[in-house]
Amino acid sequence: MKILIADDHALVRNALAFMINAQADMEVIGDAADGNEVFMKIENLPVDIVLLDISMPPGENGLVTTKRVKEAHPNVKVILLTMHDEESYIRGALAAHADGFVLKSATDEELLTGIRNVFLGKRYYAGYDEEALNEIAHGQEDRLYASLSKREKEILPLIALGYNNKEIAERLFISVKTVEVHKANIRKKLQLDSYASLLQYSLKHHLIDF
């Protein structure tokens, strides 16, 4: 198994790499400190599984990175690592199609079990069976956020992070005019009338981290 570790703390990356490389069936082939670096490494390395921290400030939330990875590289498995066990995070992980969800407080053995299960094509959310996950997945989603299109959900955290129209256009390979239209739709659908309110909304819904 070829594994990429993504966490904004070097000490965490090193500790995980030490543990994983001690396994006969696993190898850490790279690490990353943010979502953009994750993409660069996946493009250039034969990655099977990404261990991805949900919170990597400053930058897009790990849930957003997971969505981007699964859309661009559906064969790459993603296991989210987090200190948060709130239902909203689990629902977000399910919506992003994360293959696994493991708390940072978990034992080494639990994480290794998760990695092996996910590699075999199984979904592994530590402490949750399929029935519980289905109940969470079908829980009520913010109706305003649910009204956004796929592209609008992709653009929203970039706006909140302070990217201008040209930067967003270049990042997503779309025109500046298209970005402007999406931004107007986002503000209308979410009923937000200022950047401050949009930023607050993004933080509340775990779309970005600072």
Side-chain angles (χ1 to χ4, degrees), residues 16-153:
L16 288 172
F18 181 80
M19 175 191 67
I20 291 169
N21 284 329
Q23 311 305 309
D25 57 343
M26 300 179 191
E27 177 189 4
V28 175
I29 59 171
D31 61 21
D34 58 46
N36 285 332
E37 196 173 357
V38 168
F39 265 83
M40 291 174 59
K41 294 293 176 70
I42 290 176
E43 290 289 341
N44 295 287
L45 295 171
V47 178
D48 295 314
I49 298 174
V50 180
L51 296 184
L52 177 63
D53 186 11
I54 280 186
S55 178
M56 292 189 291
E60 67 183 21
N61 186 279
L63 296 174
V64 177
T65 300
T66 299
K67 290 179 184 178
R68 295 174 60 206
V69 169
K70 298 302 289 186
E71 288 171 1
H73 305 279
N75 293 326
V76 174
K77 308 295 186 182
V78 178
I79 297 176
L80 288 167
L81 303 178
T82 178
M83 297 174 62
H84 308 286
D85 61 352
E86 291 94 337
E87 190 172 293
S88 61
Y89 281 93
I90 299 168
R91 184 179 296 113
L94 291 168
H97 303 294
D99 302 280
F101 186 97
V102 179
L103 292 177
K104 287 188 172 182
S105 58
T107 64
D108 291 355
E109 198 56 44
E110 189 169 30
L111 176 57
L112 294 172
T113 297
I115 292 172
R116 293 188 173 102
N117 273 272
V118 165
F119 182 72
L120 293 174
K122 302 175 183 178
R123 186 164 66 174
Y124 185 86
Y125 280 60
Y128 294 87
D129 59 22
E130 286 299 314
E131 182 178 354
L133 291 177
N134 287 332
E135 289 181 0
I136 292 172
H138 291 91
Q140 186 175 8
E141 182 183 16
D142 183 285
R143 64 178 180 81
L144 297 180
Y145 184 75
S147 72
L148 298 180
S149 69
K150 178 180 174 181
R151 179 64 85 184
E152 288 162 357
K153 289 179 179 178

Side-chain angles (χ1 to χ4, degrees), residues 1 9 15-17 26 30 38 47 58 83-84 92 105 109 114 134 157 166 174 180 187 189 191 199 203-204 209:
M1 282 173 270
H9 294 100
L16 288 172
M26 300 179 191
V38 168
V47 178
M83 297 174 62
H84 308 286
S105 58
E109 198 56 44
N134 287 332
K166 184 173 183 294
I174 57 180
E180 292 173 350
R187 291 183 184 277
K189 290 180 179 180
Q191 301 172 14
L199 176 59
L203 289 168
K204 178 181 177 181
D209 291 304

